[in-house]
Amino acid sequence: MNFNSHTDGVVRVAVALVNELTPGERRGRPFPAPADVAAAATAGLRAVRPAYREVGADEGAELAAVAARLRAVFAAVADGDVDGAAERVNALLAETQARPLLERHDGEPWHLHFHGSRGTTAGDWAASCATGLAIVLGGEFHDRLGVCTAPSCDRVYVDVSRNGTRRFCSTACQNRVKTAAFRARARAE
Ligand SMILES: [Zn+2]
């Protein structure tokens, strides 16, 4: 399933920034706030855009703040609070003054980017991610943002499966839950 390629890309960036930069739990283990936010932010951006430049420490800290705001959107949708998610996205769109701009670079055809008003990397990504999430929330597939339902994991995901049945951040978590269920059945027998 595709929203459109650019929307998919920025929504995947939102997922990666939340998962790399916000503390919580990951695949059964505590996930502390990253000690090196620049490296974590760079890893998040490169998860989707492999050639992306290394971001600086200040940019990393700003992106971590953006990631915390984005996490709240995923959490609201996972709790069934689409109204709350929409309010949070609208607040980000207003703050970043996200504005559309057609761009053509790296041999790609013209495509729509969204920039923030401040001319900063974090501001641009905040505007892009907020716009991507707005397109998801404003469409038929508004419930496709999620938080992993495996025990001791709160990493987020976007469900692009045809049936919309995804529940886990990763196959690692899916397998943890399957194995636990298998063991529980074995013990019961
Ligand atoms: Zn998980």
Side-chain angles (χ1 to χ4, degrees):
M1 195 195 71
N2 277 289
F3 299 106
N4 70 49
S5 61
H6 186 68
T7 302
D8 285 354
V10 293
V11 171
R12 278 163 54 220
V13 169
V15 167
L17 289 175
V18 170
N19 286 345
E20 292 291 339
L21 287 165
T22 64
E25 294 174 305
R26 181 174 178 267
R27 300 181 189 178
R29 295 208 173 90
F31 186 83
D36 185 345
V37 282
T42 303
L45 294 169
R46 285 183 181 167
V48 182
R49 300 261 300 270
Y52 201 82
R53 68 175 176 82
E54 222 164 282
V55 303
D58 290 351
E59 291 174 329
E62 283 181 61
L63 284 165
V66 170
R69 305 275 303 273
L70 297 173
R71 168 176 281 285
V73 176
F74 285 85
V77 175
D79 288 344
D81 180 15
V82 178
D83 292 351
E87 280 166 25
R88 288 170 184 281
V89 169
N90 275 344
L92 270 172
L93 289 172
E95 278 172 47
T96 59
Q97 298 178 19
R99 59 191 165 83
L101 197 67
L102 279 168
E103 291 184 12
R104 190 172 67 170
H105 55 83
D106 300 327
E108 294 174 44
W110 286 101
H111 56 278
L112 200 54
H113 273 263
F114 287 87
H115 289 273
S117 60
R118 291 181 301 142
T120 63
T121 295
D124 283 350
W125 281 115
S128 290
C129 291
T131 304
L133 296 182
I135 291 169
V136 173
L137 288 177
E140 184 187 348
F141 301 107
H142 61 264
D143 55 355
R144 292 299 186 91
L145 307 176
V147 178
C148 186
T149 59
S152 302
C153 187
D154 62 5
R155 300 301 93 182
V156 304
Y157 61 85
V158 56
D159 182 356
V160 294
S161 68
R162 186 182 295 269
N163 299 327
T165 52
R166 182 165 172 178
R167 290 168 53 220
F168 305 110
C169 69
S170 57
T171 48
C173 274
Q174 187 175 18
N175 290 338
R176 283 200 298 127
V177 169
K178 266 192 204 158
T179 305
F182 177 80
R183 288 201 183 122
R185 270 199 309 276
R187 269 198 304 275
E189 278 164 15

PDB file of all heavy atoms in Angstrom, residues 27 148 150 153 155 168-170 173 176, ligand 1:
ATOM      1  N   ARG A  27      12.309  -3.896  21.878  1.00  0.00           N
ATOM      2  CA  ARG A  27      12.458  -5.338  21.695  1.00  0.00           C
ATOM      3  C   ARG A  27      12.825  -6.059  22.984  1.00  0.00           C
ATOM      4  O   ARG A  27      13.737  -6.881  23.016  1.00  0.00           O
ATOM      5  CB  ARG A  27      13.498  -5.627  20.615  1.00  0.00           C
ATOM      6  CG  ARG A  27      13.106  -5.015  19.281  1.00  0.00           C
ATOM      7  CD  ARG A  27      14.103  -5.297  18.199  1.00  0.00           C
ATOM      8  NE  ARG A  27      13.788  -4.519  17.013  1.00  0.00           N
ATOM      9  CZ  ARG A  27      14.501  -4.525  15.896  1.00  0.00           C
ATOM     10  NH1 ARG A  27      15.574  -5.277  15.812  1.00  0.00           N
ATOM     11  NH2 ARG A  27      14.153  -3.781  14.877  1.00  0.00           N
ATOM     12  N   CYS A 148       4.320  -0.581  18.945  1.00  0.00           N
ATOM     13  CA  CYS A 148       4.512  -2.031  19.078  1.00  0.00           C
ATOM     14  C   CYS A 148       3.727  -2.574  20.281  1.00  0.00           C
ATOM     15  O   CYS A 148       3.782  -2.005  21.368  1.00  0.00           O
ATOM     16  CB  CYS A 148       5.992  -2.341  19.232  1.00  0.00           C
ATOM     17  SG  CYS A 148       6.370  -4.104  19.221  1.00  0.00           S
ATOM     18  N   ALA A 150       4.180  -5.700  21.467  1.00  0.00           N
ATOM     19  CA  ALA A 150       4.935  -6.747  22.166  1.00  0.00           C
ATOM     20  C   ALA A 150       5.302  -6.253  23.564  1.00  0.00           C
ATOM     21  O   ALA A 150       5.421  -5.045  23.783  1.00  0.00           O
ATOM     22  CB  ALA A 150       6.208  -7.084  21.386  1.00  0.00           C
ATOM     23  N   CYS A 153       8.229  -3.185  24.734  1.00  0.00           N
ATOM     24  CA  CYS A 153       8.643  -2.501  23.501  1.00  0.00           C
ATOM     25  C   CYS A 153       7.642  -1.388  23.223  1.00  0.00           C
ATOM     26  O   CYS A 153       6.431  -1.609  23.326  1.00  0.00           O
ATOM     27  CB  CYS A 153       8.695  -3.450  22.312  1.00  0.00           C
ATOM     28  SG  CYS A 153       9.394  -2.639  20.843  1.00  0.00           S
ATOM     29  N   ARG A 155       8.477   0.863  20.468  1.00  0.00           N
ATOM     30  CA  ARG A 155       8.896   1.471  19.203  1.00  0.00           C
ATOM     31  C   ARG A 155       7.657   1.587  18.294  1.00  0.00           C
ATOM     32  O   ARG A 155       6.700   0.827  18.434  1.00  0.00           O
ATOM     33  CB  ARG A 155       9.976   0.613  18.531  1.00  0.00           C
ATOM     34  CG  ARG A 155      11.262   0.431  19.360  1.00  0.00           C
ATOM     35  CD  ARG A 155      11.964   1.731  19.714  1.00  0.00           C
ATOM     36  NE  ARG A 155      11.558   2.269  21.003  1.00  0.00           N
ATOM     37  CZ  ARG A 155      12.009   3.424  21.499  1.00  0.00           C
ATOM     38  NH1 ARG A 155      12.866   4.157  20.836  1.00  0.00           N
ATOM     39  NH2 ARG A 155      11.596   3.853  22.666  1.00  0.00           N
ATOM     40  N   PHE A 168       3.329  -5.126  15.380  1.00  0.00           N
ATOM     41  CA  PHE A 168       4.666  -5.087  15.982  1.00  0.00           C
ATOM     42  C   PHE A 168       5.597  -4.160  15.205  1.00  0.00           C
ATOM     43  O   PHE A 168       5.429  -3.937  14.015  1.00  0.00           O
ATOM     44  CB  PHE A 168       5.255  -6.499  16.025  1.00  0.00           C
ATOM     45  CG  PHE A 168       4.363  -7.479  16.720  1.00  0.00           C
ATOM     46  CD1 PHE A 168       3.716  -8.478  16.017  1.00  0.00           C
ATOM     47  CD2 PHE A 168       4.142  -7.370  18.089  1.00  0.00           C
ATOM     48  CE1 PHE A 168       2.873  -9.373  16.664  1.00  0.00           C
ATOM     49  CE2 PHE A 168       3.304  -8.259  18.742  1.00  0.00           C
ATOM     50  CZ  PHE A 168       2.671  -9.264  18.032  1.00  0.00           C
ATOM     51  N   CYS A 169       6.648  -3.690  15.925  1.00  0.00           N
ATOM     52  CA  CYS A 169       7.609  -2.781  15.295  1.00  0.00           C
ATOM     53  C   CYS A 169       8.510  -3.506  14.313  1.00  0.00           C
ATOM     54  O   CYS A 169       9.089  -2.891  13.430  1.00  0.00           O
ATOM     55  CB  CYS A 169       8.462  -2.095  16.373  1.00  0.00           C
ATOM     56  SG  CYS A 169       9.606  -3.218  17.219  1.00  0.00           S
ATOM     57  N   SER A 170       8.666  -4.833  14.512  1.00  0.00           N
ATOM     58  CA  SER A 170       9.703  -5.570  13.790  1.00  0.00           C
ATOM     59  C   SER A 170       9.364  -7.058  13.813  1.00  0.00           C
ATOM     60  O   SER A 170       8.556  -7.505  14.638  1.00  0.00           O
ATOM     61  CB  SER A 170      11.039  -5.371  14.502  1.00  0.00           C
ATOM     62  OG  SER A 170      10.911  -5.801  15.866  1.00  0.00           O
ATOM     63  N   CYS A 173      10.161  -8.552  17.298  1.00  0.00           N
ATOM     64  CA  CYS A 173       9.103  -8.524  18.320  1.00  0.00           C
ATOM     65  C   CYS A 173       8.000  -9.524  18.000  1.00  0.00           C
ATOM     66  O   CYS A 173       7.461 -10.179  18.895  1.00  0.00           O
ATOM     67  CB  CYS A 173       8.541  -7.119  18.471  1.00  0.00           C
ATOM     68  SG  CYS A 173       9.501  -6.118  19.635  1.00  0.00           S
ATOM     69  N   ARG A 176       9.273 -12.786  19.164  1.00  0.00           N
ATOM     70  CA  ARG A 176       9.286 -12.883  20.634  1.00  0.00           C
ATOM     71  C   ARG A 176       7.909 -13.277  21.147  1.00  0.00           C
ATOM     72  O   ARG A 176       7.769 -14.129  22.021  1.00  0.00           O
ATOM     73  CB  ARG A 176       9.648 -11.525  21.253  1.00  0.00           C
ATOM     74  CG  ARG A 176      11.099 -11.168  21.205  1.00  0.00           C
ATOM     75  CD  ARG A 176      11.440 -10.103  22.236  1.00  0.00           C
ATOM     76  NE  ARG A 176      10.751  -8.841  22.061  1.00  0.00           N
ATOM     77  CZ  ARG A 176      10.048  -8.230  23.006  1.00  0.00           C
ATOM     78  NH1 ARG A 176       9.912  -8.767  24.201  1.00  0.00           N
ATOM     79  NH2 ARG A 176       9.476  -7.064  22.777  1.00  0.00           N
TER      80      ARG A 176
HETATM   81 ZN    ZN B   1       8.673  -4.005  19.204  1.00  0.00          ZN
END
